[in-house]
Amino acid sequence: DGLSPTSSWRSIAYALQNVSSGNVINVGAGEYIESLSITNRITINGTNSFFSTNPPFERHLSATVIKPYFTNNANFPMVVLVETNGVTIQNLTIEGDADANGMPDISYGIYSTNRPLNVNHCVIRNINGFGIVCRGQVPAPATNDTDAVRSYFGYNMITNITATNAASATALYLRQTPATCEFNEIADVEGSNANAAIYITECKYTSLTTNWTTIRSNIVERCTTAIWANQFAGTGEKIIIAGNNISSGLIGIRITAAKGQALVLSNNVSVSGVSPTTNATPARGIWIHADTDPWGISDPLLQTDHLVFDNTVTGSSTNADQTVGMLFAYDTTTWTNMNNGVRANVLNNSMSGFGYGSFIRSGTNDVSFPTNPLVRVNLHSNDFSDNLRCDGDIHRG
């Protein structure tokens, strides 16, 4: 009857067909060859194994392993599909290598169009595309949203996410999904057009919410881009990127087309190399560019003025190879026909091992906004072991 370990059902899929919203499905240790579709607001709880001698994020590992039933199936390219709100998935290992030949066989570990979604203490590995995707179309962002639509992704291990398709290779992809992402360990997210270990886009709040999008205390290793916040706000909301440890990648923290303030605090970032793509992007530790109309917003509370504080950024530059510890740039390719730029306060950071410790790249002022620089960066009490470079119209104060 599925009501005790001694009378358990044999498959998770059968359990999903025979439970109601609010129920908890406890899944015993073992390997389950299944592709799952969740249509009720339930909790799936795997069996946790504790290893006291493992590193901090590897002490609690799931002994419940789910492998996809289908391989390379265009009609169901994920291991777990979430089709309702308020689902919790915890203590599972989701394995994308169905036939154990060392090659990923599935495009998504967990895929959801609904929010909120809670995924914690899971291992997701060997995926040819995306570890976790939450697109958040349902419910659609609304002016009466509260923190009830806020998702949570914590204490997960996501590894070996690869793809060669554009906009693929992402461990945690959130669109229209305000969330807290904390204490995750993410490694080996790579591809010719890899998005990021954590990619946040259009995660909009309203005046009725009290918490901001938060990315904190994550460990990211060997990922082309570690954290990328792209158009993360709608009406001036904030994002906090704090206490993350990033190593062995190309781009550490990237913020693009912001409509609200980013607080980039106390991160430890180590990057090196040059992108394998035709653009050949050099390594960039913290990269902020093309805020959306930062001077056209009349309300000072909604202007960007990013705070970049107490970060340590290191590289392995040789012979002025154009790598940059911190890059603040106007970028016409992101937003055309708009007065874009960057406003930032940069305090108490340390940059070393780059062609340029900090690079402020502006452009010529738009004739429609003759009094405003396209990039305004206030630098105070930073430790530059490398050059400081400024291009374009520079306003010194």
Side-chain angles (χ1 to χ4, degrees), residues 6 19 36 47 59 118 149 167 175 199 213 217 249 252-253 260 262 264 268 279 287 309 314 323 354 376-377 379:
T6 57
V19 297
L36 306 178
T47 299
R59 291 179 183 172
N118 180 343
V149 299
R175 182 176 185 271
Y199 181 75
T213 295
S217 302
I253 297 170
V264 184
N268 191 344
N279 293 329
W287 179 13
F309 176 76
T314 58
T323 58
F354 294 98
R376 187 187 74 186
V377 177
L379 300 170

Side-chain angles (χ1 to χ4, degrees), residues 142-213:
T143 56
N144 61 349
D145 278 350
T146 68
D147 282 320
V149 299
R150 183 180 181 84
S151 297
Y152 181 83
F153 304 91
Y155 300 90
N156 301 293
M157 293 181 61
I158 308 176
T159 62
N160 193 24
I161 310 297
T162 60
T164 56
N165 296 326
S168 294
T170 302
L172 179 55
Y173 180 105
L174 305 180
R175 182 176 185 271
Q176 296 181 340
T177 306
T180 293
C181 308
E182 62 182 7
F183 300 105
N184 298 288
E185 183 175 357
I186 302 174
D188 300 303
V189 179
E190 299 175 328
S192 61
N193 289 283
N195 258 340
I198 300 175
Y199 181 75
I200 304 284
T201 183
E202 297 183 50
C203 291
K204 303 175 182 179
Y205 281 85
T206 72
S207 60
L208 299 180
T209 59
T210 58
N211 295 296
W212 303 329
T213 295

Side-chain angles (χ1 to χ4, degrees), residues 9-83:
W9 291 322
R10 295 192 179 192
S11 75
I12 307 170
Y14 183 83
L16 289 171
Q17 296 170 4
N18 289 276
V19 297
S20 303
S21 292
N23 288 166
V24 176
I25 300 175
N26 293 305
V27 188
E31 185 174 277
Y32 298 79
I33 310 301
E34 305 190 52
S35 297
L36 306 178
S37 178
I38 302 174
T39 57
N40 288 312
R41 297 182 181 181
I42 52 91
T43 294
I44 296 183
N45 179 40
T47 299
N48 176 67
S49 294
F50 179 72
F51 302 91
S52 60
T53 60
N54 283 10
F57 289 0
E58 298 179 19
R59 291 179 183 172
H60 292 271
L61 296 178
S62 173
T64 302
V65 180
I66 304 176
K67 287 187 175 182
Y69 180 76
F70 301 107
T71 60
N72 299 318
N73 188 297
N75 295 320
F76 204 94
M78 65 283 294
V79 181
V80 180
L81 173 63
V82 180
E83 299 182 273

